[in-house]
Amino acid sequence: MSNVAKFDIFEASFTGPAAGNPYLEVSFDAVFAQHAREVRVPGFYDGDGTYRVRFMPDHEGEWTFRTRSSTAALDGKTGSFTVTAARPGQHGPVAVKNKFHFAHADGTPYVPFGTTCYAWTHQPLAMQAETLATLGKAKFNKIRMGVFPKDYPFNTNEPLQDVYLAGPDGKLDFDRPNPKAFQHFEQQVEKLRDMGIEADLIIFHPYDRWGYSNMSAEQDFRYVAYLAARLSAYSNVWWALANEYDFLLDTKPVAQWDRYFHILEENDPYGHLKSIHNGDQSMNFDHRKAWVSHVCIQNWDVKRTPEWREQYGKPVVNDEPEYEGNIWPSWGNITAEELTHRFWTTVMRGGYAGHGETYADPDDLIWWAKGGKLHGEAWKRIAFLRQIVEEDATDGLTPMGHNAAWPWSRISGARDGKVSYIYFGEHQPNQWTTGLPKEDGKFEVDLIDTWNMTVTPAKRIPALVPHPTRHGEVVRGGKPDAAFGVELPSRPYLALRVRQLD
């Protein structure tokens, strides 16, 4: 009897038929059981007559399994194993918590701070190693990455290997996955897992010259099921149905996208997070659908984050609020200061943001496309923001104000338990009162410089008494908003943190 740690992978392999096309002709799964609980887990063909089934146990103790197959050589195989305590740092898969936020299976809060490297696993091996080394110091805890290679400006090189095997005519046969390509891909997903990085796997995208985006609906369905069978047992997997799904609607209508979600539901026994990303900013998917776990969008107007929370009622991850860089497309040439600002604005309005870096390179070695090295400055400030938020993370940040109430339509503020943040962004007041505690007490108030990455005690001053101002039937001002005010140095991109002390 073998041992496996909770949230790690138990794998069993078997020898079966290699003739014909096992991918199409052989059905194979297993039922894993502990006491009265049974979990169906799909298996898959891994080439050379080898069939595998992978299981991620979520409870300690003794487990058994029994295989089922349309082929006698694979049917009725049994086994058992013992699940031990999870390894240090292994908290299990991420799921939605408290409606708008996330946590690991063991209850540990998860606050996503992600980046994008679309085709990093399709680059030369040395560059892939460089990408992992960079991730090791950059402090991102999520990465968007494509299963398929990408053909797009700045990303036109041939992939390390094809995702499907070539047929007798030399063309890719979309009924024969390439086991070596998937083996390499899942090895990189495992390395990310062991680094504490969630792998947000992009299943489809339109930027293609190999034919992957033009497979038939039946081939697409088999491909999604195959991905689930191979990769669901990795605890760090998220499913991103598409990068810019709306650019594929001519061949993959909405009903077909819904079917992809359902195939994952049927073949991923762990219920990993699932969402889908838009291209045009007016083409958000209907994330209200029950099979979509969270909102994944691209939109530069990050102050709309509370609007999306209210519209969809789910966690909002703006994975593409534009990228730091200097390439010619407008989505890839904002400053590091601006991307840092958009991160702070998004997080302080109750959402989550994604990073990308697109600095021009004579060899097109650009992080957003291929990984490698980071050359910008935003990633350091994003790591600082992650550190700030994770220090006090409990239930997730809830934005201050409702329905874009003044002043929260202009500046950003959020609370999480006994800590509050006020982020001024492009504004540079010389003092502030609104959103501070209404009763004097034991509070620690810090001034945060989001660019210089410093935290210093804020200077308290008497509360500002705004002059009464009429806004229709509402008269604002005339009395202080809080028990005290704070003096500010009149420069942008500052924040306040207010902790209530016991």
Side-chain angles (χ1 to χ4, degrees), residues 303 306 345 348-349 399-415 421-427 429 431-436 438 464 466 471 474 476-477 481-482 488 496:
K303 286 190 176 182
T345 300
M348 295 305 147
R349 290 176 178 244
M400 296 183 189
H402 299 282
N403 300 318
W406 184 92
W408 309 114
S409 58
R410 299 175 186 267
I411 66 164
S412 307
R415 293 190 176 98
Y421 304 91
I422 300 169
Y423 174 60
F424 300 103
E426 67 272 29
H427 300 276
Q431 59 179 300
W432 195 258
T433 300
T434 306
L436 296 179
K438 294 185 180 298
L464 174 70
H471 295 261
V474 177
R476 295 177 178 159
D481 293 323
L488 297 171
L496 292 174

Side-chain angles (χ1 to χ4, degrees), residues 100-385:
F100 295 111
H101 303 289
F102 301 100
H104 290 276
D106 68 356
T108 303
Y110 173 77
V111 185
F113 287 90
T115 190
T116 294
C117 295
Y118 284 123
W120 79 274
T121 64
H122 296 284
Q123 307 310 311
L125 293 177
M127 190 171 187
Q128 294 188 42
E130 187 177 57
T131 302
L132 291 168
T134 300
L135 289 169
K137 68 178 182 179
K139 308 305 179 186
F140 294 114
N141 61 5
K142 183 171 83 75
I143 184 170
R144 296 173 68 222
M145 50 191 280
V147 179
F148 292 135
K150 190 171 181 178
D151 180 51
Y152 195 73
F154 320 107
N155 195 167
T156 58
N157 60 300
E158 286 298 319
L160 188 67
Q161 49 198 332
D162 294 318
V163 180
Y164 283 82
L165 297 169
D169 60 358
K171 297 180 180 179
L172 295 182
D173 181 350
F174 298 120
D175 289 326
R176 291 184 182 273
N178 180 1
K180 293 187 182 303
F182 283 95
Q183 289 163 10
H184 173 73
F185 187 80
E186 63 203 15
Q187 287 168 7
Q188 302 300 61
V189 170
E190 183 174 20
K191 291 175 183 176
L192 293 169
R193 182 198 67 186
D194 294 341
M195 296 170 66
I197 298 173
E198 302 294 302
D200 199 356
L201 305 183
I202 298 168
I203 297 177
F204 296 101
H205 67 74
Y207 306 109
D208 168 49
R209 66 172 181 269
W210 301 274
Y212 301 120
S213 62
N214 291 314
M215 296 190 298
S216 70
E218 291 74 20
Q219 289 169 332
D220 281 355
F221 298 154
R222 286 194 292 267
Y223 157 64
V224 174
Y226 186 72
L227 278 180
R230 290 201 73 118
L231 288 154
S232 290
Y234 293 88
S235 60
N236 61 325
V237 161
W238 296 27
W239 302 117
L241 271 289
N243 184 65
E244 300 176 332
Y245 85 98
D246 45 313
F247 298 160
L248 287 164
L249 285 173
D250 59 332
T251 57
K252 304 181 195 303
V254 169
Q256 194 162 315
W257 291 106
D258 287 337
R259 180 61 190 141
Y260 301 148
F261 277 101
H262 297 322
I263 290 170
L264 290 172
E265 289 180 316
E266 295 159 7
N267 292 280
D268 172 4
Y270 320 103
H272 288 293
L273 293 166
K274 300 182 291 294
S275 194
I276 185 168
H277 173 272
N278 61 292
D280 189 290
Q281 293 185 357
S282 67
M283 290 294 293
N284 286 4
F285 196 79
D286 186 359
H287 302 285
R288 295 171 299 178
K289 294 179 178 180
W291 41 90
V292 184
S293 60
H294 63 285
V295 179
C296 175
I297 60 172
Q298 67 163 310
N299 199 303
W300 64 271
D301 191 0
V302 295
K303 286 190 176 182
R304 294 179 60 191
T305 301
E307 170 192 330
W308 299 319
R309 281 171 48 115
E310 185 173 345
Q311 179 179 358
Y312 298 114
K314 296 178 180 180
V316 174
V317 184
N318 190 344
D319 271 312
E320 199 172 331
E322 298 183 334
Y323 299 136
E324 174 193 358
N326 64 354
I327 57 175
W328 61 265
S330 57
W331 48 259
N333 54 33
I334 65 172
T335 65
E337 290 89 346
E338 180 63 20
L339 183 57
T340 302
H341 165 59
R342 293 185 190 183
F343 256 82
W344 272 87
T345 300
T346 301
V347 172
M348 295 305 147
R349 290 176 178 244
Y352 304 98
H355 164 275
E357 190 180 284
T358 48
Y359 284 103
D361 180 90
D363 298 313
D364 286 342
L365 303 180
I366 299 176
W367 174 263
W368 142 91
K370 301 176 182 178
K373 295 179 180 179
L374 287 163
H375 300 281
E377 292 293 331
W379 65 272
K380 303 170 190 174
R381 279 78 189 175
I382 293 166
F384 174 69
L385 172 58

